[in-house]
């Protein structure tokens, strides 16, 4: 099954809802002149349109219908095997100068890149339908909300965007007919899905994105990584807010006291699991609710940070998702879900490594080949995904549509580290917290092409997503801190530390509630901690460990720090800052010196 499919002919009343805004109409005509599609399909986001596009996708083998009884109204898509993850090496920030893109981004001069892409797009949609998708990012009535239009020649993109964004009339209405209104221009074409002609390019000064040669979500759902993070972070700096790679969750105590927390973990490090956490039995009466699982847009309101989730759905990693790891995600993806690159069982159900129960005796793997438990290959690709509307989530936060957002009490940074980083610690103050974010590191995962399991610095989990100079991004964080009269407390967590036997020391998943509870206690000024060189550390008796089946010595090990490991860590921070070539703000260099000095005391 491939994404590329010939043009479709919609009946009257479908695909003909043109917006009135002349700037949009002119831009669409320009792109059509260049790409030469057989026809233009104007999306309105309606149920009727969706049903028509699904029917066409089934006929053209873009989708497979799953067993209606087992996974109602759900479908499987198989991507080209050469196209299964984000491609950071082919992702560009195109600004007039290289300095604006900074040391962590691939850079190209905009005119040069436009020319290269236009050459590739010339006639690229011949014989295909060109879809125009209007969408908004953010709740319908939020001041932060942005309008985007994505042009694409992929029905899979249209169907996914309908899940992941608020799509159609709501965007056309929000934009109105002012030809000078701000909106994002996104152009996507599959071309021939050739990895040598795959580029994901951002033009922040033009509020424009062009993505070619891929059909993988992270490269082509332009609302998400491209607009909400790369262009979003650029706009956020200009306009005085933050666009971050963070989940947002609500946590309510037995007494009904509620806090909201935002957490930045790199791709495929458990943001969705944490955002949907079910507290262990001992915490009966506590509730965790999800505002978002991947992206937070935060503005300053009444001296605090206030966050909205710009998305409308979850695009999550499937393997490892089970009733043990994330029951709420399992309930969310049992219906109305678009799966990509998972295995198909003989009875039309989906399967993946780590799903509850025994593996099927036979299945069709993500490439479309026969698979049995004896096969050497994985049945589902390690980066196989679900796209599911957030409305499916049984623990969706009631304030998810609130335009002003939810007030953030704590920010958490965290990576996947088998050593060095303790389970949790708290920064001394805002700038120290920014330093924790800036020096974050994590083992790489299958969410991006390249080697898996290598420790790399990933500041604020934004390394692949910051749309401008990372030094200016750090400075922007420091400046935001100065404007907050009631800043969130900042923490660092690591669920993935291993003992000498190379086994995980901490059970993770629902038991992360114990860590979250300590964080909330600190926000409430009731939690105990000891001062250490790296920040405030809980002692074992500060964390509620009741009914936890973990040896005390493991707890002591995971909560503690090893000075030898930290010597290496400090050198790692220095190397990282040096690799950035002089862009790191003075305040953060000072934080490093202070950290080193505290170890010497
Ligand atoms: C994602 C990612 O898909 O970070 O969210 O890669
Ligand atoms: Mn992500």
């Amino acid at each position: 099954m491939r994404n590329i499919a010939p043009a479709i002919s919609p009946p009257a009343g479908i695909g003909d809802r043109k917006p009135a805004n002349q700037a949009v109409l002119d831009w669409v005509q320009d792109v059509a002149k260049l790409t030469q599609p057989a026809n233009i399909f104007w999306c309105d986001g309606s149920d009727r349109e969706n049903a028509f596009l699904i029917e066409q996708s089934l006929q053209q083998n873009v989708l497979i219908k799953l067993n209606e009884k087992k996974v109602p109204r759900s479908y499987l898509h198989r991507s080209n095997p050469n196209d299964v993850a984000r491609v950071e090496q082919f992702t560009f920030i195109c600004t007039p100068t290289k300095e604006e893109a900074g040391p962590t981004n691939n850079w190209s001069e905009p005119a040069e890149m436009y020319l290269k892409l236009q050459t590739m797009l010339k006639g690229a949609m011949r014989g295909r339908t060109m879809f125009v998708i209007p969408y908004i990012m953010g709740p319908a009535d939020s001041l932060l909300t942005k309008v985007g239009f994505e042009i694409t020649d992929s029905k899979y993109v249209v169907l996914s965007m309908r899940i992941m964004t608020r799509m159609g009339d709501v965007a056309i209405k929000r934009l109105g007919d002012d030809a000078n209104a701000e909106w994002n221009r996104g152009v996507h074409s599959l071309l021939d899905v050739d990895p040598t002609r795959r580029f994901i390019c951002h033009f922040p000064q033009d509020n424009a994105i062009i993505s070619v040669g891929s059909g993988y979500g992270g490269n082509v759902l332009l609302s998400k990584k491209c607009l909400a993070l790369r262009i979003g972070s650029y706009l956020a700096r200009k306009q005085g807010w933050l666009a971050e790679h963070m989940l947002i969750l609500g946590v309510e105590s037995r007494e009904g006291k509620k806090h909201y927390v935002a957490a930045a973990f790199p791709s495929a490090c458990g943001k969705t699991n944490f955002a949907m956490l079910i507290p262990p039995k001992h915490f009966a009466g506590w509730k965790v609710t999800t505002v978002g699982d991947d992206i937070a847009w935060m503005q300053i309101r009444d001296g605090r940070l206030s966050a909205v989730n710009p998305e409308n759905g979850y695009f999550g990693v499937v393997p490892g998702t089970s009733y043990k790891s994330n029951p709420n995600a399992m309930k969310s993806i049992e219906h109305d879900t678009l799966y990509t690159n998972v295995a198909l069982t003989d009875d039309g159900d989906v399967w993946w490594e780590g799903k509850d129960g025994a593996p099927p005796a036979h299945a069709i793997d993500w490439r479309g080949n026969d698979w049995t438990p004896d096969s050497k290959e994985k049945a589902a690709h390690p980066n196989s995904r679900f796209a599911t509307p957030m409305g499916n989530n049984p623990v969706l936060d009631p304030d998810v549509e609130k335009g002003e957002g939810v007030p953030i009490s704590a920010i958490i940074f965290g990576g996947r580290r088998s050593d060095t980083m303790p389970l949790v610690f708290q920064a001394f103050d805002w700038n120290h917290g920014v330093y924790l974010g800036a020096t974050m590191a994590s083992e790489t995962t299958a969410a991006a092409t390249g080697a898996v399991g290598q420790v790399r610095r990933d500041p604020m989990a934004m390394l692949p997503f910051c749309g401008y100079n990372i030094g200016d991004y750090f400075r922007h964080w420091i400046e935001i801190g100065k404007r907050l009269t009631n800043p969130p407390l900042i923490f660092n967590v690591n669920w993935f530390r291993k003992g000498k036997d190379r086994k995980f020391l901490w059970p993770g998943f629902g038991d992360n509630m114990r860590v979250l509870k300590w964080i909330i206690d600190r926000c409430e000024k009731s939690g105990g901690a000891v001062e250490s060189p790296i920040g405030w550390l809980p002692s074992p008796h500060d964390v509620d460990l009741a009914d936890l089946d973990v040896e005390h010595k493991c707890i002591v090990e995971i909560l503690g720090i090893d000075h030898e490991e930290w010597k290496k860590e400090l050198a790692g921070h220095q190397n990282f800052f040096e690799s950035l070539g002089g862009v790191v703000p003075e305040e953060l260099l000072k934080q490093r010196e202070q950290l080193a000095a505290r170890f010497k005391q």
Side-chain angles (χ1 to χ4, degrees):
M1 192 198 310
R2 292 292 178 268
N3 213 333
I4 300 171
I8 53 170
S9 316
I14 292 185
D16 51 12
R17 171 97 163 80
K18 266 192 199 183
N21 193 298
Q22 197 55 46
V24 174
L25 298 174
D26 291 347
W27 169 71
V28 170
Q29 279 320 312
D30 286 349
V31 178
K33 224 159 110 192
L34 176 69
T35 57
Q36 303 277 305
N39 55 353
I40 300 178
F41 187 113
W42 301 86
C43 302
D44 65 8
S46 64
D47 290 346
R48 188 167 166 235
E49 170 184 283
N50 196 50
F52 172 73
L53 291 177
I54 287 173
E55 180 202 306
Q56 296 293 308
S57 301
L58 293 170
Q59 276 175 28
Q60 295 186 334
N61 281 337
V62 172
L63 294 184
I64 294 172
K65 170 119 185 76
L66 296 172
N67 184 319
E68 187 59 24
K69 287 215 177 73
K70 297 195 179 247
V71 229
R73 301 171 299 282
S74 298
Y75 302 88
L76 167 65
H77 172 74
R78 291 193 195 116
S79 77
N80 190 311
N82 76 28
D83 185 31
V84 292
R86 284 185 292 99
V87 282
E88 295 179 5
Q89 67 278 35
F90 302 123
T91 299
F92 283 79
I93 302 294
C94 307
T95 43
T97 65
K98 190 169 172 18
E99 286 64 44
E100 286 161 277
T104 55
N105 284 310
N106 299 312
W107 172 79
S108 170
E109 201 277 317
E112 213 172 279
M113 188 56 97
Y114 273 131
L115 188 65
K116 180 166 157 172
L117 294 167
Q118 276 159 3
T119 308
M120 285 194 258
L121 283 166
K122 206 170 266 175
M125 296 191 192
R126 260 186 214 126
R128 304 182 195 172
T129 295
M130 180 173 113
F131 300 91
V132 183
I133 309 168
Y135 67 94
I136 55 170
M137 295 305 280
D141 66 344
S142 177
L143 287 177
L144 280 178
T145 292
K146 304 286 179 205
V147 176
F149 278 78
E150 176 166 351
I151 286 176
T152 179
D153 53 7
S154 158
K155 282 183 288 300
Y156 168 77
V157 168
V158 181
L159 295 169
S160 303
M161 287 290 282
R162 188 169 187 268
I163 295 171
M164 295 303 300
T165 73
R166 296 159 178 92
M167 174 184 146
D169 279 345
V170 62
I172 294 176
K173 280 203 195 94
R174 172 117 184 177
L175 180 67
D177 52 14
D178 175 0
N180 295 315
E182 179 196 85
W183 53 281
N184 180 266
R185 291 153 167 77
V187 176
H188 165 246
S189 175
L190 294 160
L191 303 185
D192 44 3
V193 195
D194 174 352
T196 66
R197 305 201 314 140
R198 185 168 294 157
F199 293 97
I200 322 299
C201 300
H202 307 74
F203 303 86
Q205 275 86 353
D206 300 338
N207 200 353
I209 304 157
I210 301 179
S211 164
V212 295
S214 171
Y216 170 71
N219 300 326
V220 301
L221 308 179
L222 301 184
S223 56
K224 191 174 177 67
K225 302 301 177 183
C226 300
L227 172 54
L229 288 178
R230 297 195 190 97
I231 298 282
S233 60
Y234 172 87
L235 293 174
R237 173 166 174 250
K238 224 167 80 176
Q239 300 166 357
W241 49 282
L242 292 169
E244 299 301 327
H245 192 200
M246 291 181 178
L247 66 93
I248 311 160
L249 62 79
V251 51
E252 193 175 325
S253 70
R254 286 190 190 104
E255 295 75 35
K257 179 113 203 242
K258 189 158 184 180
H259 286 274
Y260 287 94
V261 167
F265 308 158
S267 308
C269 287
K271 284 197 294 302
T272 308
N273 291 343
F274 194 44
M276 296 182 181
L277 179 154
I278 297 181
K281 271 203 189 77
H282 171 68
F283 286 82
W286 283 78
K287 252 199 315 227
V288 171
T289 47
T290 319
V291 179
D293 81 328
D294 194 43
I295 298 173
W297 282 358
M298 300 190 281
Q299 62 184 327
I300 300 175
R301 282 181 66 87
D302 306 324
R304 301 188 72 177
L305 277 181
S306 190
V308 298
N309 168 16
E311 301 193 277
N312 188 54
Y314 310 126
F315 180 64
V317 177
V318 179
T321 308
S322 67
Y323 271 96
K324 182 165 173 282
S325 65
N326 191 341
N328 287 322
M330 288 300 285
K331 285 182 196 144
S332 303
I333 63 178
E334 275 170 358
H335 59 98
D336 299 283
T337 294
L338 182 47
Y339 288 91
T340 302
N341 291 342
V342 295
L344 178 68
T345 65
D346 294 348
D347 57 356
D349 199 354
V350 275
W351 191 80
W352 52 84
E353 280 74 15
K355 195 179 184 186
D356 307 271
H362 174 263
I364 304 294
D365 72 11
W366 69 275
R367 294 171 196 262
N369 298 328
D370 284 312
W371 181 93
T372 70
D374 294 332
S375 299
K376 283 199 188 68
E377 305 282 340
K378 293 230 185 291
H381 187 275
N383 193 37
S384 53
R385 296 281 179 146
F386 56 76
T388 201
M390 66 178 179
N392 278 11
N393 179 358
V395 293
L396 188 65
D397 191 87
D399 283 343
V400 73
E401 294 287 354
K402 207 167 160 185
E404 67 188 46
V406 295
I408 297 298
S409 302
I411 286 177
I412 305 175
F413 295 116
R416 189 184 281 271
R417 295 290 299 271
S418 32
D419 50 42
T420 314
M421 284 293 163
L423 181 63
V424 60
F425 62 101
Q426 182 193 341
F428 292 122
D429 57 24
W430 179 268
N431 277 5
H432 181 219
V434 175
Y435 179 84
L436 299 187
T439 54
M440 233 173 92
S442 193
E443 289 153 23
T444 49
T445 67
T449 54
V452 168
Q454 299 199 339
V455 175
R456 71 165 181 181
R457 297 285 149 195
D458 186 352
M460 275 89 167
M462 283 287 278
L463 182 73
F465 307 122
C466 180
Y468 61 101
N469 190 308
I470 198 81
D472 294 333
Y473 170 76
F474 294 156
R475 158 109 352 255
H476 181 50
W477 264 82
I478 291 167
E479 295 305 321
I480 289 276
K482 289 182 190 159
R483 291 168 51 206
L484 293 169
T485 49
N486 193 359
L489 302 185
I490 302 183
F491 298 82
N492 197 96
V493 300
N494 176 24
W495 318 135
F496 302 97
R497 195 166 176 186
K498 290 179 178 166
K500 289 187 184 57
D501 57 1
R502 307 315 291 156
K503 289 205 178 111
F504 288 116
L505 288 164
W506 181 249
F509 303 112
D511 284 308
N512 293 337
M513 179 67 212
R514 301 170 191 276
V515 174
L516 187 55
K517 165 79 166 48
W518 180 73
I519 288 172
I520 298 306
D521 288 346
R522 295 295 290 169
C523 295
E524 290 277 340
K525 297 189 172 36
S526 61
V530 288
E531 199 170 343
S532 85
I534 66 166
W536 294 104
L537 279 171
S539 300
H541 59 261
D542 294 320
V543 183
D544 189 338
L545 300 170
D547 300 343
L548 182 68
D549 189 16
V550 175
E551 279 184 72
H552 186 71
K553 70 173 193 321
C554 293
I555 299 293
V556 171
E557 190 174 345
I558 199 171
L559 291 180
I561 54 173
D562 175 326
H563 286 232
E564 283 309 307
E565 285 180 343
W566 271 89
K567 241 190 226 159
K568 284 193 211 129
E569 183 67 13
L570 265 160
H573 295 182
Q574 174 142 1
N575 289 344
F576 178 55
F577 281 179
E578 280 170 5
S579 78
L580 299 180
V583 304
V584 179
E586 205 46 49
E587 287 88 336
L588 297 189
L589 298 176
K590 207 164 113 200
Q591 286 290 336
R592 207 205 75 85
E593 279 167 24
Q594 289 169 345
L595 173 60
R598 286 195 297 269
F599 269 106
K600 288 198 183 113
Q601 274 167 19

